[in-house]
Amino acid sequence: MLDVHADRHTFHRFDKFNSKYNPIGESRLREIFLKTDNYMDGQYFAELIKEVVSDLEDSKYQNAEYRISVYGRSKSEWDKLAKWAVQHSVYSDNVRWLIQVPRLYDVYKSNKLIDNFQQLLDNLFVPLFEVTNNPSSHPELHAFLQYVTGFDSVDDESKPEGAFIKDIPLPENWNSNENPPYAYYQYYMFANMAVLNNFRRERGLNTFVLRPHCGEAGPIHHLITGFMVGENISHGLLLRKAPVLQYLYYLGRVGIAMSPLSNNSLFLDYHHNPLRTFFNRGLLVSLSSDAPLQFHYTKEPLIEEYSIAAQVWKLSGVDMCELAMNSVLMSGFSHETKQLWIGQDYKEEGIAGNNVELTNVPNIRITYRSETFLEELSTLIHTANES
């Protein structure tokens, strides 16, 4: 009725998919019901989130990392978002937040909201440095950031883009109306986050990771960027076309959160999705929901992902438990929370780190994964020494 579900008309049409965020095609309804900064001070959106969070807390065995946007149009965005979260008590031990940053510099520039790319970076990171240096300068933001685990970078990867070449302008000199390349965004987000994390670590505060949408479409080099700067990535579909990169992701244990139902409506038919292949080869993959309003039909979008994957790919109970364990490992929840879920020694290699009673993954599966990985490393080291 609201016309928000992705369908066959959105396949390879990211523009039509984006329009699905607007109920019955009206952007004003999106602003009223799904935004934090509006005339209602985001009250409806907060109540909606609290309903969903209440279901999570009642289930006892589900936690979530929700994405919420900060655009970089002004420095006040952070304080407005934090005020919304604190004012409406959008808090739960079951929930952490990822800040998604849309790659929309060209839109802001054409609307004269910013003059250059450095202003976008300043709008994103200056308030974070200020609150790290003096938490009392932004008290609500300080409280909110304790439940933020990292940053995502989102947009249509299939858009044409320029190359990240040697003499590319610095951010303060990037003042054209053209959007910077994907790698440019990721590099400068990562560089600022690295400095910020060191500062926050010195202050005894939580740090952040970069977990961009990467490899859903567009050129292969996006995956190179994701490998170099990302803690994990989302989607990673194009790795199926790049065996060497796929091998690097395996060796580096870079996590890939995959959403086959989302991909099925946008870029890749379900039966062609490489999740099963990646999983069989030992890559660190997990199942994830993506834009449940568009792609799912029940109150349990993640269960939809698991149940359909199990049916289509004939996943065993062990496979499902391993995917769930990978999801815990890749998540941004605290070390103590992960110990509670999958065992005190989960960071140990092989069966020493596997608590079967909690993971439900047999030691023989963990042994296979560990021995195969160590054999690959041994082969590479031996080959390097011989050469």
Side-chain angles (χ1 to χ4, degrees):
M1 183 174 68
L2 295 177
D3 191 29
V4 294
H5 270 105
D7 52 31
R8 69 180 187 276
H9 300 295
T10 61
F11 197 72
H12 288 290
R13 287 297 303 270
F14 208 84
D15 56 333
K16 290 188 176 181
F17 164 67
N18 276 335
S19 70
K20 293 290 184 179
Y21 279 99
N22 302 322
I24 61 175
E26 289 288 341
S27 60
R28 288 173 295 180
L29 293 179
R30 178 184 177 184
E31 183 168 335
I32 291 170
F33 294 116
L34 298 174
K35 293 291 184 180
T36 61
D37 182 23
N38 52 29
Y39 289 113
M40 301 169 65
D41 293 324
Q43 180 178 347
Y44 184 90
F45 188 41
E47 291 176 357
L48 186 66
I49 288 175
K50 285 193 278 190
E51 285 286 334
V52 176
V53 168
S54 176
D55 290 341
L56 282 179
E57 292 173 342
D58 289 342
S59 73
K60 297 182 181 179
Y61 301 108
Q62 289 190 61
N63 286 23
E65 290 181 294
Y66 294 139
R67 286 175 170 82
I68 196 162
S69 294
V70 171
Y71 297 90
R73 293 172 297 200
S74 72
K75 293 177 183 176
S76 63
E77 287 181 40
W78 279 108
D79 283 327
K80 290 178 180 178
L81 177 60
K83 180 181 179 182
W84 165 82
V86 172
Q87 177 180 326
H88 295 289
S89 300
V90 184
Y91 155 81
S92 172
D93 284 331
N94 294 63
V95 173
R96 294 294 181 270
W97 297 93
L98 273 171
I99 304 300
Q100 67 175 21
V101 182
R103 297 188 296 277
L104 296 175
Y105 161 83
D106 54 337
V107 176
Y108 310 150
K109 174 64 175 175
S110 62
N111 289 323
K112 302 188 186 315
L113 297 175
I114 55 178
D115 296 323
N116 54 55
F117 191 75
Q118 184 61 50
Q119 284 189 6
L120 185 146
L121 292 173
D122 288 344
N123 292 339
L124 287 174
F125 289 102
V126 166
L128 301 183
F129 279 98
E130 289 177 350
V131 72
T132 301
N133 183 55
N134 180 13
S136 63
S137 64
H138 305 266
E140 292 168 323
L141 180 57
H142 173 67
F144 175 67
L145 288 178
Q146 294 177 50
Y147 297 92
V148 172
T149 60
F151 289 78
D152 188 2
S153 176
V154 298
D155 197 18
D156 179 7
E157 287 189 74
S158 63
K159 287 180 181 178
E161 63 178 48
F164 195 169
I165 55 178
K166 182 179 179 181
D167 57 350
I168 200 164
L170 293 171
E172 60 266 28
N173 297 325
W174 190 290
N175 51 21
S176 71
N177 289 332
E178 184 181 348
N179 212 25
Y182 179 90
Y184 193 89
Y185 270 96
Q186 307 311 324
Y187 171 77
Y188 282 106
M189 283 189 66
F190 175 78
N192 280 274
M193 287 176 63
V195 178
L196 177 64
N197 280 339
N198 283 332
F199 190 22
R200 292 182 66 82
R201 199 174 291 112
E202 289 176 358
R203 298 284 178 135
L205 301 172
N206 62 304
T207 57
F208 312 116
V209 296
L210 181 58
R211 291 160 56 178
H213 275 53
C214 182
E216 187 176 16
I220 295 291
H221 68 72
H222 289 187
L223 288 162
I224 300 174
T225 303
F227 176 78
M228 295 176 69
V229 303
E231 178 81 7
N232 303 323
I233 65 168
S234 295
H235 299 297
L237 298 177
L238 292 178
L239 278 176
R240 72 190 191 280
K241 297 182 178 181
V244 174
L245 268 178
Q246 194 180 131
Y247 189 51
L248 286 176
Y249 271 75
Y250 168 71
L251 293 174
R253 292 185 171 178
V254 178
I256 309 169
M258 305 188 72
S259 309
L261 288 177
S262 163
N263 306 143
N264 186 60
S265 295
L266 285 178
F267 291 109
L268 190 67
D269 289 338
Y270 203 103
H271 289 281
H272 296 144
N273 195 288
L275 184 144
R276 178 65 173 176
T277 302
F278 292 171
F279 178 72
N280 287 348
R281 291 174 178 171
L283 276 74
L284 183 62
V285 295
S286 68
L287 277 167
S288 168
S289 62
D290 181 29
L293 187 64
Q294 275 82 7
F295 300 119
H296 301 91
Y297 289 89
T298 72
K299 291 176 64 176
E300 299 285 356
L302 190 57
I303 297 301
E304 282 185 54
E305 291 283 0
Y306 272 87
S307 59
I308 293 174
Q311 293 291 332
V312 172
W313 290 313
K314 297 179 174 59
L315 298 175
S316 68
V318 173
D319 295 335
M320 302 276 275
C321 289
E322 187 178 359
L323 284 168
M325 181 184 70
N326 289 347
S327 183
V328 174
L329 292 171
M330 291 165 55
S331 78
F333 281 85
S334 69
H335 172 63
E336 291 75 21
T337 302
K338 292 181 181 181
Q339 285 182 315
L340 182 65
W341 288 344
I342 56 176
Q344 292 290 319
D345 303 315
Y346 74 92
K347 287 190 173 183
E348 297 293 327
E349 182 64 39
I351 61 174
N354 185 42
N355 185 329
V356 181
E357 293 181 357
L358 294 177
T359 65
N360 285 312
V361 181
N363 281 336
I364 192 170
R365 172 66 67 89
I366 299 296
T367 300
Y368 167 72
R369 296 293 196 198
S370 177
E371 289 182 355
T372 303
F373 179 74
L374 293 175
E375 283 177 11
E376 291 292 336
L377 289 180
S378 177
T379 300
L380 286 174
I381 294 170
H382 179 71
T383 304
N385 289 337
E386 281 190 343
S387 60

